[in-house]
Amino acid sequence: MIRKGRIVAAVALTTLSLGLTACNDDEDPAAMPESPSASAPSSPAPSSESPSADPSDDAGSKPSDDVAAPGTKFKVGDRAVVPFKYGTSKEGTVAITVTAIEKGTEADMAPFGDKAKGMTPYYIRMKVENVGGTDLSYSSLRLRGQLAGGAPTGVILIGDLPGKCDSETAPRDFTTKGASYETCSLSATKTDPIAVASFEEGDAYSDSPVVWTS
């Protein structure tokens, strides 16, 4: 869980790897944790051959608790049920409803420092619901932003922007069927707009993610 007010970022560009610290500038750099891998995610575009739902389809025509197959496409506002594992002991089924892919401003990126200049943030807002009724308390779930068509953004951010995009963990009572909470995943781009939110957790979905398009 990332503490509020302290943001660590790894920015992966085609020719640049950076570890950024947004605050506590007087800390000894040797005491800082190592930056995560700065490799840009190579998320393939959702396969047209997968058992996908056409984005134009009415989501209400699908059984609400059917698990979405890898590669399924949704529109923002649709509810998708997916298997979910957190750590080594928490596992279950959740429903994700992406409620918005919201564009921020370059000025919002100020906490990440000068190296983030020229980047535009996008806030992927979602509701997460416990469908399986297993104990998923204190777990966290993240969606990745993609460009239109499924291309990766070329940027990886770790952290949130308090007051603009808060990455929340599941509450203590996220242990029963129907329990829910809201959270936000931060993404950013230096090129084209982000128009897709991607669920890539688990072996099957890492190769063929479930996506929501705006």
Side-chain angles (χ1 to χ4, degrees), residues 20-123:
L20 307 181
T21 302
C23 62
N24 297 332
D25 292 336
D26 57 346
E27 287 185 0
D28 181 358
M32 296 299 293
E34 291 183 2
S35 298
S37 171
S39 299
S42 56
S43 303
S47 172
S48 61
E49 297 179 0
S50 60
S52 303
D54 191 307
S56 63
D57 288 347
D58 182 1
S61 64
K62 307 186 192 75
S64 61
D65 285 348
D66 277 4
V67 172
T72 304
K73 301 176 184 178
F74 294 93
K75 297 290 287 184
V76 169
D78 287 347
R79 177 179 181 270
V81 177
V82 293
F84 177 66
K85 185 174 182 180
Y86 184 77
T88 59
S89 61
K90 294 183 184 290
E91 188 170 358
T93 307
V94 298
I96 306 168
T97 304
V98 175
T99 56
I101 301 176
E102 180 183 323
K103 181 180 179 181
T105 66
E106 183 179 339
D108 294 343
M109 295 295 291
F112 286 95
D114 291 342
K115 300 299 184 180
K117 285 184 177 179
M119 294 183 185
T120 301
Y122 282 77
Y123 310 137

Side-chain angles (χ1 to χ4, degrees), residues 107-183:
D108 294 343
M109 295 295 291
F112 286 95
D114 291 342
K115 300 299 184 180
K117 285 184 177 179
M119 294 183 185
T120 301
Y122 282 77
Y123 310 137
I124 301 172
R125 305 192 188 279
M126 73 195 89
K127 176 183 176 182
V128 184
E129 176 189 348
N130 191 331
V131 173
T134 57
D135 182 358
L136 297 174
S137 57
Y138 305 114
S139 61
S140 62
L141 185 151
R142 177 178 173 82
L143 301 182
R144 293 192 182 278
Q146 296 180 347
L147 308 182
T153 65
V155 176
I156 296 176
L157 297 176
I158 298 176
D160 54 10
L161 290 173
K164 294 185 181 294
C165 187
D166 293 293
S167 179
E168 303 288 355
T169 57
R172 182 175 60 183
D173 61 355
F174 197 64
T175 59
T176 58
K177 186 173 182 179
S180 66
Y181 70 100
E182 294 182 358
T183 185

